[in-house]
Each structure stands twice: as C-alpha cells, then as structure tokens.
Amino acid sequence: MYPHRWLPTLAVAAALASPAHAGPLTFAQALDRAAASAPSLRSAALQTEAARASARAAGALPDPKLNVGVEGFPISGPNAGHPSRDDFSDVKVGIMQDVPNKGRRQAAVAGATAAISQAEAARLIELRKVRVATALAWIDVAYAERRLAAVDQVLASLRPIWEAQPSAVASGRQRPGQALSPIRMRATLEDQRSEQIAGLARARAELTRWTGETAPSVAGAPPDFNIDPTQLRAALETNPTLLAYRSAASRADAEVNAARAAERPDWGWEVAYQRRDPRFGDMLSAGVTVSLPLFASSRQEPLLAARRADASRVHTDREDARRALAAQLDADLADHDMHHEQWMRTTGAVVPAATQRADLETASYAAGTADLADVLDAMTALADAKLTALEREAMVVRDGARIVLTYGNDQ
C-alpha cells in the first residue's frame, strides 16, 4: 500500500470539516486559511488523486477475453443439423489474452507517472495563485482600514472649526459667502470617506472569497518581505510553472516511446476447451497471435514523427515560459523599486510639507489672519498626502507579497 497517495483526499476532508476561524486574521493565518479552504485547491487535490488512481492501472495487460462458440456445425449433406454424427463438431470455450510489447507498457507507466507530476505541478500553481490573491486581499483590507482612519482623523480635527463657523459669520469675521466654500471642501472629504468605505468593503469581499470568512477583519502588522533578486532568480528553476512544463515534456517523451514501441509486434495467446460428442472425445487447443507492423512507413512512422514534433514543441514552450518568467520577475522588481522610491518621497517630503502647511494655516486662522477656507484647503491637501502615502506604502507591500509568493520557493 502507498499511504501517501491518500494524503490529498485526507487534506480535502479535513478542510471541509474544519470550522471557520474566529476573530481577526493575521497575515499568516489568512494564508493558511485559504490554503485549507479554497475550492480551487480542493479541486486540484482531487485532480492529483485522480491521476494517482489512474496510474495504478498503467502498464497492466488488457482484460482477457472469453471466447465461446460452436465449430464445425453441419448445415448440408447427410449430417446437416446433427452435429453428434461427425467427429469435427464441437462447442468451444476459451480464454484469449492480448499482450502488448514491453515498450508499450513501459511507455504507459512513464506517461502515468508524468501525469501525476503534471497534476501536482498544477496544484502547486493553483496554490501560489491562491496565496498571492489572499495576500493581496489581506493587504488591501489592512490599508483600506488605515486610509479610512486617516480620513476620519482629518474630519475629526476639522469638526471644531466647522462648529465655530456660524459664530464667525455672526460676529462678522467672515462674510456669508465665505461659508459656502467650506461646505464644498467638507463634501469632498466626505466623498473620500465614502470611497474608502466602499474600497474596504470590496477588499473584505475578496478576502472572504479566499478564506471563507463571512466578515473578515485583519490583525497584526503588514508583512515585510525581504526582496533578494539573486535568490528569486535562482528559485525560478523550481517554479511550479516550469515544473508543469517539465512534467508535460516527460509525458510527451512517453508518448514518443509509445509510438516507437508501436513499430514492434504485439502478441497474444489463446487456450480453448472443445466439447464433442462422447463417442469422439473432447479436445484442447492453444495458439499464439502476433501482430505484423508491415506497413510502418504509412502507419507507425508518421505517428512517431508527430509525437516527436509534439515533444519538441513542449520543450520549446518550456524555454519560452522560462524566459517569460524571468522577464516578468525583472519587470516586477523594477516596479517595486519605483514604488518604494515614490513612497519614500511621499513620506519624506510631501506629507511633512502638507502637515506643516496645515499647522501654519490653523495657527493663522486662530490668530485671525487666515480664512477658514485656507484651513480647509490645507487640511484637504494633508488628507490627500496621507492617503497617497498609504496607497504607495500599500503598493510596496503588495509588490513584496506578489514577488515573493510568485517567484520565491514554497518555504
């Protein structure tokens, strides 16, 4: 027996039986939850199990055939209709067994083994897709919450000023027309808040899709991935996408061997028991059949050429996939560097300048040298700067998660 063959099925059963996680999800918990409950991964595990089950029959001999018949039944002459009157009429019961040549059976085993590897590589590809999608959804929820909190903070800081606005108009410090501009700015901030609420809802819906949590929330700090280009490039050779092509190449090579084996004869045997009239006695017969591939140039050779072309195509596709994967990694690394630099500029220059301007305008308003519109404009700019900083930070974290989980090794 091979206990490990049943592990995917047991994992599926455990995932179906496991209860939903209670409470906020950390980043690692979200990935584990998705790996245990994503329907696409259950489907991939069942596909692997199906390939393993099929492999157990690979290379086996075809089912034997039962041969039952009547031989030598007279239909004319003096014995017509009376088989018991002659000694060549009998009832035959026999067993026939076809035996494909060894090359065919070995090719079938190799193809089945390659099919298992191909299904397992497909499962690993799907696992990475699920992990990447879950990671991005978790990050989106975390930063959507932070962006919403940033907008709420700005709105809270402006609330005392808005509440003091009617008295400013009444005292003559502001003209009635000046009170309309803050209304527009407040509406702009409220619009931003509505956008952040909607974005948070979308992110949570996506996280629910992968983790199965009905109302997911996140806990803990966002992941901080170490991006090492050298290690990532070295890990490309073990990337499941390339492993899938390697398995496909093995399967194509097995089909080439099967086509080559078709040029060699197959054989079969038959044993039969023949029952005759008791006066003549029963008989036992045995025989062997051998296939004769006499027309290989018009039958087997064209098929062999086709299988060789398919195998060459798969090997070429694998090299194309390797180059595409390497190019995409380099492009993603370049984008990550760009996003990191933009984030640093925003947090190092834009946000401090917007904060200083908001502080100065607030102080000027308190001293009576600035209008409320100036304060609101500065606060709106500060909110935009903080949101931009959070968005760019989220892009950096998303880049790290996507790059490491897509191109790194599974550990």
Side-chain angles (χ1 to χ4, degrees), residues 308-326:
R308 283 173 172 167
D310 285 339
S312 298
R313 174 187 57 79
V314 173
H315 286 282
T316 302
D317 288 345
R318 182 181 185 276
E319 175 60 19
D320 179 67
R322 187 194 66 78
R323 293 185 183 183
L325 204 61

Side-chain angles (χ1 to χ4, degrees), residues 80 101 165 220 239 241 243 259 304 321 345 367 388 394:
N101 65 64
Q165 183 181 357
N239 190 279
T241 299
L243 294 180
L304 177 58
R345 280 192 291 269
T388 299

Side-chain angles (χ1 to χ4, degrees), residues 67-75 81-84 86 88-94 272-276:
N67 186 1
V68 180
V70 176
E71 292 187 342
F73 188 89
I75 60 173
H82 299 281
S84 61
D86 55 51
F88 55 82
S89 297
D90 63 72
V91 176
K92 183 174 80 169
V93 177
Y273 171 75
Q274 295 163 283
R275 174 71 175 174
R276 298 194 299 175

Side-chain angles (χ1 to χ4, degrees), residues 44-45 47-49 51-52 114-125 247 251:
Q47 183 178 1
T48 303
E49 182 59 30
R52 293 186 185 279
I116 294 174
S117 299
Q118 208 168 1
E120 179 61 18
R123 186 189 70 82
L124 293 176
I125 291 173
S247 300
R251 196 169 185 176

Side-chain angles (χ1 to χ4, degrees), residues 121-373:
R123 186 189 70 82
L124 293 176
I125 291 173
E126 186 60 29
L127 175 60
R128 291 202 174 195
K129 289 181 179 179
V130 168
R131 286 168 61 85
V132 169
T134 305
L136 297 183
W138 189 98
I139 292 168
D140 288 345
V141 170
Y143 279 93
E145 291 177 349
R146 293 174 65 177
R147 287 194 295 269
L148 179 59
V151 174
D152 285 341
Q153 182 181 6
V154 173
L155 287 171
S157 65
L158 287 174
R159 187 170 293 111
I161 300 178
W162 278 321
E163 293 174 351
Q165 183 181 357
S167 61
V169 174
S171 65
R173 292 179 57 192
Q174 282 189 333
R175 298 188 307 275
Q178 289 179 307
L180 299 178
S181 180
I183 295 176
R184 177 184 59 80
M185 293 181 180
R186 182 172 185 175
T188 300
L189 289 174
E190 294 288 356
D191 286 343
Q192 287 184 334
R193 187 176 189 278
S194 298
E195 291 176 1
Q196 298 308 320
I197 292 175
L200 178 57
R202 288 193 298 269
R204 283 177 173 164
E206 187 71 9
L207 190 58
T208 295
R209 173 190 175 184
W210 298 110
T211 63
E213 295 292 326
T214 55
S217 58
V218 300
D224 183 14
F225 288 101
N226 178 31
I227 306 298
D228 188 333
T230 301
Q231 290 184 356
L232 291 170
R233 292 188 180 97
L236 286 181
E237 288 303 316
T238 58
N239 190 279
T241 299
L242 298 186
L243 294 180
Y245 275 102
R246 185 181 302 171
S247 300
S250 298
R251 196 169 185 176
D253 292 339
E255 291 178 356
V256 170
N257 292 334
R260 185 180 295 113
E263 295 180 330
R264 298 194 293 272
D266 298 322
W267 66 285
W269 55 264
E270 177 183 4
V271 175
Y273 171 75
Q274 295 163 283
R275 174 71 175 174
R276 298 194 299 175
D277 188 273
R279 292 178 300 162
F280 307 113
D282 298 339
M283 294 187 297
L284 184 68
S285 62
V288 175
T289 60
V290 179
S291 64
L292 300 176
L294 300 177
F295 305 100
S297 60
S298 60
R299 294 180 180 177
Q300 286 81 15
E301 290 181 3
L303 293 177
L304 177 58
R307 299 292 81 77
R308 283 173 172 167
D310 285 339
S312 298
R313 174 187 57 79
V314 173
H315 286 282
T316 302
D317 288 345
R318 182 181 185 276
E319 175 60 19
D320 179 67
R322 187 194 66 78
R323 293 185 183 183
L325 204 61
Q328 189 60 52
L329 171 59
D330 289 340
D332 289 343
L333 289 173
D335 286 343
H336 176 62
D337 290 340
M338 175 189 67
H339 293 155
H340 189 272
E341 291 175 359
Q342 290 175 338
W343 175 40
M344 290 293 98
R345 280 192 291 269
T346 302
T347 57
V350 177
V351 172
T355 301
Q356 185 177 11
R357 180 194 171 196
D359 293 340
L360 292 174
E361 293 292 359
T362 301
S364 298
Y365 177 76
T369 59
D371 294 333
L372 178 60

